[in-house]
Amino acid sequence: MQRVFATRTSESKAASADSDSEDSVMRTEFAFELPRGYVGSDGTVHRRGVMRLATARDELLPLYDARVQENPAYTTVVLLGRVISSLGSLGTVDASVVENMFASDVAFLQDFYRRVNAEGHTRIAVTCPECSHRFTADLTGGRLGES
């Protein structure tokens, strides 16, 4: 089950009157599935979530956080807590959720954040270890636009 979220920009609204192409839609939220999953206080494992694109404010506000000022490595925790809009059935996701995730899941989310915000997509280049065939895979687990 892949969810794709999109927002039409003001420029693309005018363009979409003429054409309803994929180019006129900007994705602002990206579904993901954690490799291990966050274990909630009740023992429930939460793996599927949604991350939204970061704003300049998202990247600036952690710099004023006392935890980040004491330990700059904490920036990642605060930043991810701001841009993950949902995770499983949790009501809210914040820095306290991220700091209690497994390290492998945080590493996955850091890479996912970089891909979404710097590269604008969630695709990765993959090479088959058996036949050396090269292809592209989507980190979200499905094809774009699939629901």
Side-chain angles (χ1 to χ4, degrees), residues 62-80:
L63 301 177
Y64 298 104
D65 190 299
R67 298 167 295 186
V68 171
Q69 291 174 351
E70 288 178 24
N71 182 0
Y74 203 77
T75 303
T76 299
V77 172
V78 175
L79 183 57
L80 290 174

Side-chain angles (χ1 to χ4, degrees), residues 16-131:
S16 67
D18 298 328
S19 168
D20 226 3
S21 71
E22 194 174 308
D23 295 336
S24 64
V25 177
M26 178 176 65
R27 288 181 67 187
T28 58
E29 293 187 308
F30 298 82
F32 64 83
E33 186 168 336
L34 296 174
R36 294 199 185 272
Y38 169 75
V39 181
S41 58
D42 63 353
T44 303
V45 178
H46 305 274
R47 293 187 71 200
R48 292 182 180 199
V50 175
M51 180 183 291
R52 65 173 174 76
L53 287 176
T55 63
R57 181 181 182 93
D58 291 322
E59 294 199 349
L60 290 171
L61 284 181
L63 301 177
Y64 298 104
D65 190 299
R67 298 167 295 186
V68 171
Q69 291 174 351
E70 288 178 24
N71 182 0
Y74 203 77
T75 303
T76 299
V77 172
V78 175
L79 183 57
L80 290 174
R82 292 186 57 80
V83 298
I84 298 171
S85 51
S86 68
L87 181 61
S89 61
L90 294 176
T92 59
V93 179
D94 56 19
S96 65
V97 170
V98 177
E99 70 186 2
N100 286 297
M101 287 181 174
F102 295 110
S104 59
D105 286 337
V106 174
F108 168 84
L109 289 169
Q110 286 176 302
D111 184 57
F112 194 76
Y113 175 92
R114 182 187 56 77
R115 289 180 186 281
V116 165
N117 287 283
E119 299 174 16
H121 60 81
T122 57
R123 297 179 306 274
I124 58 171
V126 179
T127 303
C128 176
E130 291 184 21
C131 68

